[in-house]
């Protein structure tokens, strides 16, 4: 059953009434459980920045973030792919910035409620760049330590190196 807006700005907690027809006492039942309206909000976003190409796991911290049935998060105009949520946090993965590097506001939609906090934003930064790889070769059996040099690596949450050679591909997690 979809709930309509509450009739007052601060409705009191109470039982849920289920009516059949005209809601007279003969056709009405009340729950033992108390139902409460809450106001979701968020107060912190971590990390505060990530690559303009997206892919950053973003955590939005707040209160009552598990209220409602559906949740969508946005960073600027782009979506943030939903991963999970609890009462105090929402985790999502940023999409690519539609406007390149720069600041973007965070918006969370829980059912029909749109939640924002002008004090909290996310900054899309320039994507990392690779300037050099050392050594430039390795043996096919692997196990060679590879040093990668460049800029912007601190924005990468889970660095991986992928190598393609003559149709073969390998992907390795870096520490």
């Amino acid at each position: 059953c979809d709930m309509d807006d509450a009739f007052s700005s601060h409705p009191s907690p109470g039982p849920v009434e289920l009516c059949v027809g005209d809601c007279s006492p003969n056709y009405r039942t009340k729950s033992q459980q108390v139902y409460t309206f809450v106001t979701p909000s968020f107060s912190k976003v971590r990390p505060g920045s990530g690559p303009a190409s997206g892919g950053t796991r973003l955590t939005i911290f707040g209160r009552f973030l598990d209220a409602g049935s559906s949740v969508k998060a946005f960073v600027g105009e782009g979506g943030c792919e939903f991963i999970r949520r609890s009462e105090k946090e929402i985790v999502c993965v940023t999409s690519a910035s539609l406007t390149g590097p720069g600041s973007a506001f965070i918006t969370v939609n829980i059912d029909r409620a749109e939640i924002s906090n002008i004090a909290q934003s996310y900054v899309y930064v320039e994507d990392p760049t690779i300037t050099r790889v050392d050594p430039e070769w390795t043996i096919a059996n692997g196990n060679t330590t590879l040093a990668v040099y460049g800029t912007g690596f601190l924005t990468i949450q889970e660095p991986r190196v992928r190598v393609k050679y003559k149709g073969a591909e390998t992907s390795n997690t870096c520490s």
Side-chain angles (χ1 to χ4, degrees):
C1 191
D2 287 340
M3 296 294 297
D4 285 331
D5 292 340
F7 293 116
S8 73
S9 60
H10 299 290
S12 301
V16 174
E17 288 187 8
L18 177 63
C19 300
V20 178
D22 65 6
C23 217
S24 66
N26 292 337
Y27 300 103
R28 174 177 53 199
T29 185
K30 290 184 181 182
S31 69
Q32 296 297 316
Q33 179 182 353
V34 174
Y35 188 82
T36 305
F37 287 92
V38 296
T39 303
S41 63
F42 69 90
S43 56
K44 184 168 64 171
V45 176
R46 293 293 179 263
S49 63
S53 59
T56 300
R57 190 178 50 258
L58 187 68
T59 304
I60 302 166
F61 297 93
R63 297 183 56 197
F64 305 117
L65 296 175
D66 61 345
S69 301
S70 67
V71 64
K72 292 181 182 176
F74 298 90
V75 179
E77 300 297 317
C80 195
E81 183 184 344
F82 176 78
I83 303 296
R84 63 180 167 80
R85 71 176 171 155
S86 67
E87 179 186 354
K88 296 182 179 185
E89 67 181 33
I90 294 172
V91 178
C92 60
V93 176
T94 62
S95 60
S97 170
L98 300 176
T99 57
S103 187
F105 287 105
I106 310 291
T107 306
V108 176
N109 291 350
I110 298 178
D111 294 340
R112 289 177 281 194
E114 183 174 289
I115 304 152
S116 60
N117 180 337
I118 60 170
Q120 295 297 312
S121 63
Y122 178 81
V123 179
Y124 281 110
V125 297
E126 291 285 342
D127 286 343
T129 60
I130 296 173
T131 57
R132 188 176 66 141
V133 177
D134 187 38
E136 295 177 8
W137 60 88
T138 187
I139 59 174
N141 291 356
N143 206 33
T144 302
T145 299
L146 189 64
V148 180
Y149 301 92
T151 62
F153 292 165
L154 292 177
T155 64
I156 303 172
Q157 290 177 323
E158 297 175 13
R160 283 178 259 141
V161 173
R162 184 176 71 186
V163 177
K164 291 182 177 183
Y165 181 72
K166 291 186 178 180
E169 180 178 325
T170 182
S171 181
N172 299 281
T173 302
C174 303
S175 54

